Amino acid sequence: MWCSRMALRRLQKIAVTPLNITGSLTSNIQREMSTLPRIYVTRQIPPEGLKILRESGQVQFELWNSDDIPVPRKELLQKVKGVDGLLCTLTEKIDAELLDAAGPNLKVLSTMSVGFDHLSLDELKKRGIRIGYTPEVLTDAVAELTVALLLATSRRLIEATHEAKTGGWGTWRTLWLCGYELANSTVGILGLGRIGVAIAERLAPFKVKKFIYTDVAPRPELASVINAEYVSFDELAKQSDFLAVCCALTPETKEICNKNLFSKMKKTSIFINTSRGGVVNQEDLYEALSTGQIAGAGLDVTVPEPLPTNHPLFTLKNCVILPHIASASYTTRDAMSSLAANNLLLGLRGQPMIKELKL
């Protein structure tokens, strides 16, 4: 497992060594810029990734120079025409329409994300386009945020802050703003991967009694790291005092967290999702929260994103919603952009990517 700081240092070295070019070759490239592979970067990515692209001498690139507003679809379809490579983020839908607009020159796509539900994998496979992505480097940041969100939800921190600011803080009361402790609890993990393990490692010092998980199949090697027990989906729902969703969004997991799951959970259970919004049926979650079927929910991901401010979930005190910030640390985002840039450059050179999604 990569620590994001160590990963960033490794990626910086990779960018200098394998992708380094000689002085004479640099001069030739400067004279013949028009012959370099063309790439389009769909977002103002963190500086380390841009630095790697600029200093590589391997490509000519253009980018949508904004971090606040995604590139408009119409402009994106224009900009990708004839490109050899594409560096995108999860805000861009890479589908048949875009790939048709890009044309046959497009051979490599690098996404600055661990998730790939924004990519039409069948279309990419059909066209023989290689895919780089950025797993592992964000494990620490996502695990930390998940723990923070779990604690904020279970101990009602957002609600308490509001009360303190708005005059609700009166005399001491015996049951006011009481929440739920991790000590002696059972923590369930839906989808045990690197992030699930990292979450459990951070929660263990809170004196959690037991970790349980479910996945498409038992994962004994990962489970042994945290001494987690494999259980069925139903048992995960029934036993978990805290349930953390860490699975990828696939056709099989779409809205897997629905009334069937919530109806089996304890009334004191806390539900946390930092994976993808699409794994949750939000209408069913609203019903479970508003009726007291479960105690609370913390969400870093929703459908759509951003979630409209008039969405019913925002009306609930027992629902904490964050704007998809799980990987939002400076170190992690720089590591992600570095990995995405290196994946793209290596792919264009016909070499193995550092992290390639095999189709």
Side-chain angles (χ1 to χ4, degrees), residues 165-349:
K165 285 182 177 180
T166 58
W169 185 3
T171 184
W172 185 84
R173 285 163 271 177
T174 57
L175 293 177
W176 187 54
L177 291 174
C178 283
Y180 298 93
E181 297 180 17
L182 278 160
N184 298 311
S185 69
T186 296
V187 173
I189 299 169
L190 177 56
L192 186 66
R194 289 179 295 270
I195 291 174
V197 169
I199 291 168
E201 288 175 331
R202 286 158 174 77
L203 291 177
F206 286 87
K207 299 181 181 179
V208 170
K209 179 176 65 177
K210 182 168 68 170
F211 290 104
I212 59 176
Y213 77 99
T214 196
D215 211 317
V216 291
R219 308 193 68 178
E221 286 190 15
L222 284 172
S224 66
V225 175
I226 55 172
N227 196 27
E229 176 188 348
Y230 178 80
V231 296
S232 68
F233 186 74
D234 282 355
E235 283 301 311
L236 187 80
K238 291 174 183 176
Q239 293 187 37
S240 296
D241 296 300
F242 299 87
L243 178 54
V245 181
C246 304
C247 61
L249 176 60
T250 67
E252 293 73 31
T253 62
K254 182 175 172 59
E255 296 192 355
I256 192 172
C257 300
N258 53 33
K259 65 175 67 176
N260 176 55
L261 174 77
F262 301 132
S263 66
K264 293 179 173 67
M265 292 176 68
K266 303 173 185 178
K267 292 186 181 297
T268 54
S269 292
I270 302 294
F271 176 84
I272 303 294
N273 183 21
T274 54
S275 61
R276 284 292 184 265
V279 303
V280 179
N281 182 309
Q282 291 177 171
E283 291 181 3
D284 291 352
L285 177 60
Y286 174 82
E287 183 70 17
L289 290 167
S290 60
T291 61
Q293 197 166 56
I294 63 174
L299 310 174
D300 184 50
V301 286
T302 59
V303 176
E305 291 183 358
L307 193 66
T309 55
N310 62 352
H311 194 280
L313 285 171
F314 278 122
T315 67
L316 301 175
K317 290 183 178 181
N318 58 344
C319 187
V320 177
I321 301 174
L322 303 179
H324 201 154
I325 58 168
S327 65
S329 77
Y330 292 111
T331 302
T332 290
R333 290 288 171 83
D334 263 335
M336 290 173 70
S337 71
S338 298
L339 179 52
N342 277 308
N343 280 338
L344 184 66
L345 293 171
L346 290 166
L348 287 170
R349 294 168 64 185

Side-chain angles (χ1 to χ4, degrees), residues 7-137:
L8 180 55
R9 288 195 291 270
R10 287 175 58 185
L11 291 163
Q12 288 166 335
K13 290 178 181 178
I14 289 170
V16 171
T17 308
L19 302 179
N20 198 22
I21 53 179
T22 65
S24 59
L25 184 54
T26 301
S27 300
N28 291 336
I29 286 174
Q30 288 171 341
R31 288 195 298 268
E32 301 177 16
M33 283 295 291
S34 61
T35 65
L36 294 176
R38 287 180 53 228
I39 66 172
Y40 186 68
V41 182
T42 67
R43 207 61 175 263
Q44 186 189 72
I45 63 171
E48 286 296 332
L50 290 178
K51 180 181 177 184
I52 288 169
L53 294 177
R54 286 196 183 99
E55 295 183 357
S56 70
Q58 303 287 306
V59 294
Q60 50 179 325
F61 72 91
E62 184 180 1
L63 78 157
W64 174 253
N65 197 17
S66 173
D67 191 36
D68 297 321
I69 304 170
V71 56
R73 180 72 174 182
K74 185 177 180 180
E75 177 151 354
L76 178 61
L77 294 175
Q78 287 292 324
K79 292 295 186 180
V80 298
K81 287 183 179 179
V83 298
D84 301 280
L86 185 63
L87 196 160
C88 70
T89 67
L90 52 80
T91 55
E92 285 72 57
K93 187 170 180 60
I94 310 301
D95 55 11
E97 179 189 34
L98 184 138
L99 297 175
D100 286 340
N105 284 354
L106 181 59
K107 298 301 180 187
V108 180
L109 181 143
S110 179
T111 180
M112 190 182 131
S113 64
V114 63
F116 41 83
D117 46 283
H118 58 301
L119 309 180
S120 296
L121 299 182
D122 289 342
E123 288 292 333
L124 289 160
K125 181 178 181 180
K126 182 170 68 176
R127 299 165 197 247
I129 297 172
R130 295 173 65 189
I131 305 169
Y133 70 134
T134 59
E136 298 184 22
V137 293

